[in-house]
Amino acid sequence: MKAGSAAKLIVDALLQRFLPLARRRIEMAQAQDGQYLRPSDPAYEQVLDSLAMIARHMPVPLLEALLRWRESESPKGANDASTFQRKLSVECIFCSACICFVECCPQEGLTEKLWSGLENFVFDWLINADRVVSQVEYPSLVDLPGLLLDLVAQLLGALSWIRFSSVTERFFMELKTRRIDSSVARSEALSIINGMRYLKLGVKTEGGLNASASFVAKANPLTCPPHKRKSELYHALCNMLSNILAPLADGGKNQWPPAGVEPALTLCERAKFTKRLYWVAFMYISLIFIPAKVISQVGYPLVTLLLCLGDPQIFHNNLSSHMEQLYKLLQDKNHRFMALDCLHRVLRFYLSVHAANQPLNRIWDYLDSVTSQLLTVLRKGMLTQDVQHDKLVEFCVTIAEHNLDFAMNHMLLELLKQDSPSEAKAIGLRTLLAIVMSPSSQHVGLEIFKGHDIGHYIPKVKAAIESILRSCHKTYSQALLTYSRTTIGAVTKEKSQGYLFRSVLKCIPYLIEEVGRSDKITEIIPQHGISIDPGVREEAVQVLNRIVRYLPHRRFAVMRGMANFSLRLPDEFPLLIQTSLGRMLELMRFWRACLIDDKLEQDAQDAKRMVQQNNGFKKSSFHQPGEAIEFRASEIDAVGLIFLSSVDSQICHTALELLRCVRALSIDIRDLALCEQPDHSIRYEAEPIFIIDVLEEHGDIVQSCYWDSSRLFDYRRESDAIPPEVTLQSIIFESPDKNRWARCLSELVKYAAELCPSSVQDAKVEVLQRLAHITPAELGGKAHQSQDVDNKLDQWLMYAMFTKMNIAPQKGCDRPKRMPME
């Protein structure tokens, strides 16, 4: 077979996979105004990866096929919203495919004509996007043009890696032709400048270094034509250069000159680039003294980058004065975030590139200066925006990566102090979590401090976190859905407290597993699953999931905590009971899934001992083979039996599923124990009987309890045949006669008391208490509102039938206290 024929077959095979996926994305975009072009599609991403691979070996037929596809799919004719939307969708997909293509295609792989065609495509869209689709005429398409122009800019960045000179010459030529002071020319110039933000500077060769430095010098904003509104161009050019230079300065530890620089490139040649950059920096310095404040907003970030990438000696000579200027800008609310970002960038660059060759006392002076300024503005309440808090977390993590001891002593413990603002505490917690979850960490939780020989911080950190958790728990215990709006409003008035609570919940169990000796996290957390704050609700649920996942020895404690919380909920809140019970069921199912994962992990370790890969947080190895897994099935069985006596069919349904899950989980745990120790004594023990077994094996109860002989209507029909389709579940969920299920349940309890005495005993103690809370005070109960009693008659009857066997509560049987109602 000829090479050309083989290439065509391979490209055709790829297109057979690409075409239906691309068509689906176009149709989805048409249906959702471009919103569905953004989410990832694994199948589509896989095709793009294949496309990139083929681009290395047969780029010409592949690009020609993509161009033909674009031409055939792009609509022609009517100029309406639907037509423009399809056209933009096709261009977006073509752009994303071309980005993968260009990133992998060798420079000699295409002819000059094809390369020029891609460049023309890019610049045509940057210049004419507003003419093709007017966002004023078609406001529904506002999302797609922005997405397309971003993809076009990315494609231009990919092209610049191969054709830097050609792309930059075209850029300056297009700007030169738009020196006319008109709104159209200015709009086109701004679009072209914005499209250059992903330009890649060449730093691997002497020619690349010189070309990059020349481009930066030539793009000097001060050389722009004197338009009346020239500040727009200053702003755009500064932002463009900042975006282009940022990857060089943010390359990470010891990355400047950037990784991948050819060893043959001499230090002298690199110095030419850095010195030329700093010469450009002096030209830009004047930007920050222009009266327009907007220039300072974009001028300082650019000068910061040029200072970092310039001559090292000039960097050290000007670092202190530059930081002082940024400290002053921290006092201005309009420049605060910009100043934070610049400070973080210049400090990170100093620590990663220059600190290894600096005296320790000088490094500490810089760190102390920065941390003092940050703590001061934070305590004064100047940093109120989320983006500012995020930047502070990045700041703290950067310092901790360089010197964890300094970060703890001078920053984090200060942030976590009891008298610190809620925002400061939240920033401290988020920083600690980021440090512990770092992919480079080889330690579990706070053990990272021992790895750095600063284990003495562990008790202080734990005490601070526990104090914050107790305080937030005390406050938000009054903000549950069982409380009145007045009470909840008083608690949630302070928004920062909710932010702090969510932050401390994220730390469990990564930073702390327990709270002191008396309070138990597994008893504290479940109630916040019904918090009025949706963020707190979500975090509380995630905490329980994480404990089940990572702390095998605490799994049953989670179930017990959820059970106790569910039992504290009064019958007045059936929806909350249903939610809590459903959450408990999901946690038990998750436990079963974790047992499977544990078994697979153990098998893998036995088969091949290998270094455990770090996944952010290592699961605690509390359960060892042969160690008994705690699971008291009778306690959870009792919970399911209690809620089977609810008059709410949804609660009954969840309770029934819970009982099934109890049996399944018990079997899983038993099987795991036998697998780990085949000669375990459990093999010779009788298998336990569960409540669900009683329910499934006593179908004759339906026959005996279907008719109620105490009611005249049923008494006359007692000899009639029972409908054949009637089952225990149909009585629970479908029968409008609640008395019928009450009679069946009473009989089931009688049978279960013989086979599962512990579960029935616990259930009856709780049901007696719930019965007392809905029984009128004049009849010996605790209910004082007669109107509630009328509404609870069905529930009262169900509880009464459940407890008609008079079993006295055991001494010392503590039951959960009820949730307060207001």
Side-chain angles (χ1 to χ4, degrees):
M1 183 181 293
K2 294 182 179 180
S5 300
K8 185 177 185 304
L9 288 175
I10 294 173
V11 171
D12 288 345
L14 176 62
L15 288 178
Q16 290 300 316
R17 296 173 57 202
F18 173 77
L19 292 177
L21 294 171
R23 191 171 294 115
R24 184 177 69 180
R25 290 172 78 82
I26 292 171
E27 292 169 354
M28 293 169 72
Q30 284 188 308
Q32 299 292 335
D33 291 337
Q35 294 297 317
Y36 277 84
L37 282 171
R38 296 186 179 187
S40 61
D41 180 349
Y44 181 71
E45 298 295 332
Q46 188 177 20
V47 169
L48 290 183
D49 291 340
S50 301
L51 186 148
M53 188 182 303
I54 294 176
R56 293 189 179 96
H57 307 287
M58 47 194 73
V60 173
L62 180 56
L63 181 58
E64 289 176 343
L66 289 173
L67 289 169
R68 286 194 301 270
W69 172 84
R70 174 188 173 231
E71 181 65 23
S72 64
E73 291 291 333
S74 188
K76 301 172 182 64
N79 293 332
D80 54 22
S82 177
T83 303
F84 285 130
Q85 189 162 342
R86 183 175 180 84
K87 178 178 178 64
L88 291 172
S89 301
V90 170
E91 297 292 61
C92 283
I93 292 173
F94 176 74
C95 248
S96 62
C98 284
I99 291 168
C100 296
F101 176 90
V102 172
E103 286 176 344
C104 297
C105 178
Q107 184 172 1
E108 65 279 3
L110 294 181
T111 63
E112 178 63 26
K113 181 180 179 181
L114 288 174
W115 282 125
S116 298
L118 286 176
E119 282 185 24
N120 291 334
F121 167 81
V122 168
F123 280 98
D124 284 348
W125 265 112
L126 291 177
I127 295 168
N128 300 310
D130 287 339
R131 293 192 185 94
V132 175
V133 181
S134 171
Q135 296 183 19
V136 177
E137 295 181 25
Y138 303 104
S140 62
L141 302 181
V142 67
D143 192 54
L144 268 175
L147 174 60
L148 174 59
L149 288 176
D150 185 68
L151 290 171
V152 167
Q154 291 181 47
L155 178 55
L156 182 57
L159 284 169
S160 70
W161 195 249
I162 298 175
R163 298 169 60 82
F164 185 84
S165 297
S166 176
V167 167
T168 53
E169 286 174 9
R170 176 72 178 271
F171 167 71
F172 289 119
M173 182 192 74
E174 295 291 350
L175 284 188
K176 186 176 180 180
T177 60
R178 285 159 181 82
R179 287 180 176 273
I180 308 168
D181 189 9
S182 69
S183 59
V184 173
R186 185 165 52 251
S187 176
E188 291 177 356
L190 290 173
S191 180
I192 294 169
I193 293 169
N194 190 46
M196 292 286 286
R197 64 185 180 276
Y198 297 119
L199 188 80
K200 293 178 174 62
L201 296 180
V203 292
K204 291 188 176 182
T205 64
E206 181 179 2
L209 286 171
N210 287 331
S212 297
S214 296
F215 169 77
V216 175
K218 196 173 180 180
N220 180 1
L222 297 180
T223 63
C224 289
H227 289 173
K228 294 178 181 178
R229 298 179 62 186
K230 63 182 179 180
S231 63
E232 282 187 290
L233 293 177
Y234 286 154
H235 195 292
L237 284 168
C238 287
N239 275 333
M240 179 196 76
L241 289 169
S242 295
N243 287 324
I244 292 171
L245 292 171
L248 299 180
D250 299 340
K253 191 171 290 187
N254 300 321
Q255 294 288 304
W256 178 251
V261 172
E262 294 177 1
L265 197 60
T266 66
L267 291 174
C268 178
E269 289 164 345
R270 297 174 194 168
K272 292 178 183 177
F273 178 61
T274 57
K275 287 182 177 179
R276 190 163 186 180
L277 277 183
Y278 201 77
W279 172 77
V280 175
F282 278 117
M283 296 175 63
Y284 289 153
I285 290 291
S286 58
L287 284 173
I288 61 179
F289 297 110
I290 294 177
K293 289 189 176 181
V294 69
I295 300 303
S296 297
Q297 189 73 19
V298 296
Y300 270 104
L302 180 54
V303 170
T304 300
L305 283 165
L306 292 166
L307 180 65
C308 292
L309 299 174
D311 181 82
Q313 189 58 48
I314 301 178
F315 173 82
H316 291 299
N317 292 342
N318 290 273
L319 179 59
S320 295
S321 59
H322 188 67
M323 292 175 70
E324 289 297 330
Q325 285 293 113
L326 294 173
Y327 292 156
K328 293 178 182 178
L329 291 174
L330 280 176
Q331 311 300 317
D332 185 344
K333 66 178 181 179
N334 296 322
H335 293 145
R336 198 162 288 151
F337 178 74
M338 177 274 294
L340 276 176
D341 190 45
C342 291
L343 277 171
H344 178 236
R345 174 165 278 140
V346 75
L347 181 68
R348 181 175 57 191
F349 187 85
Y350 173 75
L351 293 176
S352 62
V353 177
H354 296 295
N357 303 317
Q358 296 293 300
L360 287 178
N361 61 334
R362 179 174 296 179
I363 298 172
W364 275 63
D365 286 344
Y366 281 128
L367 292 178
D368 184 63
S369 171
V370 169
T371 53
S372 298
Q373 291 289 332
L374 295 179
L375 289 173
T376 299
V377 295
L378 186 60
R379 285 169 179 157
K380 289 181 177 179
M382 294 182 180
L383 305 178
T384 57
Q385 300 175 8
D386 290 344
V387 290
Q388 295 170 344
H389 297 165
D390 295 342
K391 184 58 65 175
L392 272 182
V393 172
E394 292 181 34
F395 237 122
C396 296
V397 170
T398 297
I399 296 172
E401 288 174 347
H402 175 77
N403 191 326
L404 185 57
D405 187 13
F406 181 93
M408 288 301 305
N409 197 34
H410 292 77
M411 196 75 178
L412 294 178
L413 290 180
E414 291 292 324
L415 292 171
L416 296 175
K417 278 185 176 179
Q418 194 167 359
D419 58 348
S420 294
S422 296
E423 293 87 350
K425 293 176 182 176
I427 290 167
L429 292 172
R430 289 176 58 192
T431 301
L432 282 170
L433 191 58
I435 294 169
V436 167
M437 300 294 288
S438 170
S440 61
S441 174
Q442 298 299 316
H443 303 275
V444 178
L446 295 179
E447 296 297 312
I448 190 173
F449 294 117
K450 292 183 179 179
H452 287 76
D453 296 325
I454 50 174
H456 58 280
Y457 288 121
I458 294 179
K460 297 178 182 179
V461 170
K462 282 187 174 181
I465 298 174
E466 289 174 9
S467 174
I468 293 171
L469 180 58
R470 284 197 185 96
S471 173
C472 292
H473 167 63
K474 182 178 179 181
T475 300
Y476 269 77
S477 292
Q478 309 293 315
L480 308 180
L481 292 172
T482 53
Y483 280 84
S484 68
R485 290 188 177 183
T486 304
T487 304
I488 291 173
V491 172
T492 57
K493 184 170 57 177
E494 184 60 49
K495 299 296 183 183
S496 61
Q497 190 72 7
Y499 174 59
L500 177 60
F501 196 16
R502 294 192 294 273
S503 298
V504 74
L505 288 175
K506 289 179 186 291
C507 297
I508 306 171
Y510 305 122
L511 300 181
I512 58 168
E513 298 177 9
E514 199 48 271
V515 184
R517 297 181 179 179
S518 56
D519 298 323
K520 300 292 182 183
I521 279 183
T522 52
E523 295 292 332
I524 288 175
I525 300 301
Q527 65 182 286
H528 297 294
I530 62 167
S531 172
I532 192 68
D533 186 324
V536 171
R537 283 202 303 271
E538 176 63 24
E539 287 303 329
V541 172
Q542 293 304 317
V543 167
L544 297 175
N545 284 329
R546 288 195 295 267
I547 293 176
V548 170
R549 178 72 183 94
Y550 294 117
L551 305 181
H553 68 300
R554 303 300 306 280
R555 286 170 179 168
F556 181 68
V558 171
M559 305 307 153
R560 177 182 283 164
M562 283 300 303
N564 289 339
F565 167 67
S566 300
L567 295 175
R568 289 202 303 271
L569 289 168
D571 291 316
E572 288 85 349
F573 300 99
L575 185 59
L576 296 182
I577 292 175
Q578 161 66 18
T579 301
S580 178
L581 210 59
R583 197 165 285 152
M584 183 178 174
L585 175 61
E586 289 302 316
L587 286 167
M588 290 184 65
R589 288 172 175 166
F590 186 45
W591 186 349
R592 293 189 65 198
C594 289
L595 288 177
I596 297 173
D597 292 342
D598 294 345
K599 181 65 171 61
L600 293 174
E601 186 177 324
Q602 187 63 41
D603 290 345
Q605 289 177 355
D606 292 341
K608 184 179 181 180
R609 297 290 177 182
M610 57 188 300
V611 179
Q612 183 181 7
Q613 293 182 350
N614 177 60
N615 61 353
F617 182 78
K618 295 89 176 171
K619 191 191 308 183
S620 301
S621 303
F622 291 102
H623 172 65
Q624 301 296 335
E627 181 183 344
I629 299 175
E630 182 185 13
F631 180 60
R632 302 178 189 179
S634 63
E635 293 186 19
I636 311 301
D637 254 353
V639 176
L641 187 58
I642 290 164
F643 288 111
L644 270 181
S645 62
S646 173
V647 294
D648 188 297
S649 61
Q650 290 299 317
I651 293 177
C652 285
H653 181 273
T654 306
L656 196 61
E657 290 300 312
L658 185 70
L659 292 173
R660 290 195 178 101
C661 197
V662 169
R663 180 177 61 186
L665 180 56
S666 298
I667 293 172
D668 289 348
I669 292 174
R670 178 187 174 92
D671 291 346
L672 184 62
L674 289 174
C675 183
E676 291 177 348
Q677 289 187 307
D679 57 345
H680 199 288
S681 59
I682 195 174
R683 176 181 293 276
Y684 308 103
E685 297 177 1
E687 293 189 6
I689 298 176
F690 303 95
I691 295 294
I692 192 65
D693 295 327
V694 179
L695 292 173
E696 292 176 349
E697 296 174 10
H698 288 83
D700 55 330
I701 290 177
V702 175
Q703 305 293 323
S704 61
C705 299
Y706 192 78
W707 303 118
D708 185 0
S709 58
S710 64
R711 294 194 299 182
L712 182 61
F713 178 75
D714 278 2
Y715 179 74
R716 291 175 178 176
R717 301 183 61 188
E718 200 166 16
S719 59
D720 294 350
I722 306 297
E725 68 276 6
V726 172
T727 62
L728 200 61
Q729 292 195 33
S730 68
I731 292 177
I732 298 175
F733 305 126
E734 300 172 12
S735 175
D737 186 359
K738 298 297 181 183
N739 293 340
R740 187 168 288 157
W741 168 233
R743 293 193 303 275
C744 291
L745 183 62
S746 178
E747 289 299 308
L748 285 168
V749 170
K750 182 171 68 175
Y751 283 112
E754 300 175 4
L755 301 173
C756 313
S758 178
S759 297
V760 173
Q761 174 65 46
D762 289 346
K764 286 201 169 186
V765 171
E766 173 62 25
V767 170
L768 281 169
Q769 289 198 7
R770 299 181 86 87
L771 179 62
H773 278 85
I774 59 175
T775 301
E778 56 267 24
L779 296 180
K782 299 180 181 179
H784 297 284
Q785 298 177 351
S786 58
Q787 63 270 25
D788 287 342
V789 176
D790 295 335
N791 296 333
K792 298 174 185 174
L793 185 58
D794 287 340
Q795 187 63 73
W796 188 94
L797 177 63
M798 190 75 75
Y799 286 158
M801 292 292 287
F802 188 104
T803 59
K804 71 177 186 179
M805 292 182 61
N806 188 20
I807 299 179
Q810 296 177 347
K811 292 183 178 180
C813 186
D814 296 329
R815 306 307 301 166
K817 295 181 180 179
R818 297 195 170 277
M819 299 291 293
M821 293 184 298
E822 294 190 8

